[in-house]
Amino acid sequence: MISLPSDVPTTLRPLAWIIGSWQGFGTRTRPIFNHTTGQLHAETTIEHLVGNIAFSISQTPNELVQHTQIFHAAPQDNKVVPMTLSADTALNCLDAAKLWWEEKTVWSVTHSRVATKNTPASARAECVSHGIVTFAEDAHPLVNTQWSATVTGPRIMMATHQGSAKPLSSVTRSFGLVGGELMIVQDLATATQELSEWCVRMEKISVDNVF
């Protein structure tokens, strides 16, 4: 069961379930984009990742600040660490290595409709966010990106604004609570191809700031 913070401003209540500090693991497929042919390829190697994701409320009452770090990780004793493991179990099997990705994103809720006792499914919010990648080990189109998002209950669907992820046609992220864990998936797309770049599962940790 996820406990919700009690001091969340009304404008941010649709996002209350994701506020806090999260830690977990996942897999990454390394994308390779050929600028000459416009083709998107993927290396067959799947890398283990360990990540820290922290969300904190900024000083303005209608924004959240998301700080994300993702590190390469190596399985201990060459163990197999499948995505079916819980985040807590998997983290005990991994040794974190060098930083792969760091990002800061500011979220703003532009419209929300609060659920009621009679219509609980009506809880919905529209968000916009601006993300800046402050470190990436290899070249990636998500350097300075505008996002739009729809929040429905404990699920968020994000997509880049048109033209903000060139040379890709779009990048999408999905967030969702599954069994008390936070699942995040990022997909890349060109005009003719799609690739699931990374997938992580995270547990909520009782730390104010993990960075």
Side-chain angles (χ1 to χ4, degrees), residues 149-170:
T150 299
V151 184
T152 307
R155 296 184 301 277
I156 304 173
M157 295 297 297
M158 298 178 64
T160 52
H161 288 189
Q162 186 174 7
S164 69
K166 292 179 179 179
L168 301 172
S169 59
S170 70

Side-chain angles (χ1 to χ4, degrees), residues 105-157:
T105 303
V106 177
W107 300 55
S108 299
V109 176
T110 57
H111 173 75
S112 63
R113 184 173 59 191
V114 179
T116 65
K117 182 174 65 174
N118 296 326
T119 56
S122 67
R124 186 181 178 89
E126 304 296 330
C127 301
V128 294
S129 60
H130 179 204
I132 298 177
V133 176
T134 55
F135 177 83
E137 184 183 63
D138 22 63
H140 199 285
L142 294 184
V143 176
N144 191 335
T145 308
Q146 300 289 335
W147 300 83
S148 58
T150 299
V151 184
T152 307
R155 296 184 301 277
I156 304 173
M157 295 297 297

Side-chain angles (χ1 to χ4, degrees), residues 54-121:
F55 296 85
S56 60
I57 298 176
S58 66
Q59 293 182 354
T60 57
N62 62 342
E63 290 183 340
L64 290 182
V65 177
Q66 172 195 344
H67 185 194
T68 305
Q69 286 182 324
I70 302 177
F71 296 84
H72 290 290
Q76 298 172 356
D77 302 322
N78 295 317
K79 294 178 181 177
V80 176
V81 185
M83 284 296 293
T84 53
L85 293 181
S86 68
D88 180 58
T89 301
L91 286 172
N92 290 325
C93 302
L94 297 171
D95 290 324
K98 59 183 178 179
L99 179 68
W100 165 62
W101 183 275
E102 186 167 21
E103 176 183 343
K104 179 180 179 180
T105 303
V106 177
W107 300 55
S108 299
V109 176
T110 57
H111 173 75
S112 63
R113 184 173 59 191
V114 179
T116 65
K117 182 174 65 174
N118 296 326
T119 56

Side-chain angles (χ1 to χ4, degrees), residues 25-28 49 83 184-186 196-201:
F25 80 112
T27 58
R28 176 198 178 200
L49 302 176
M83 284 296 293
I184 311 175
V185 177
Q186 176 163 297
S196 183
E197 184 182 14
W198 49 266
C199 173
V200 298
R201 58 187 303 171

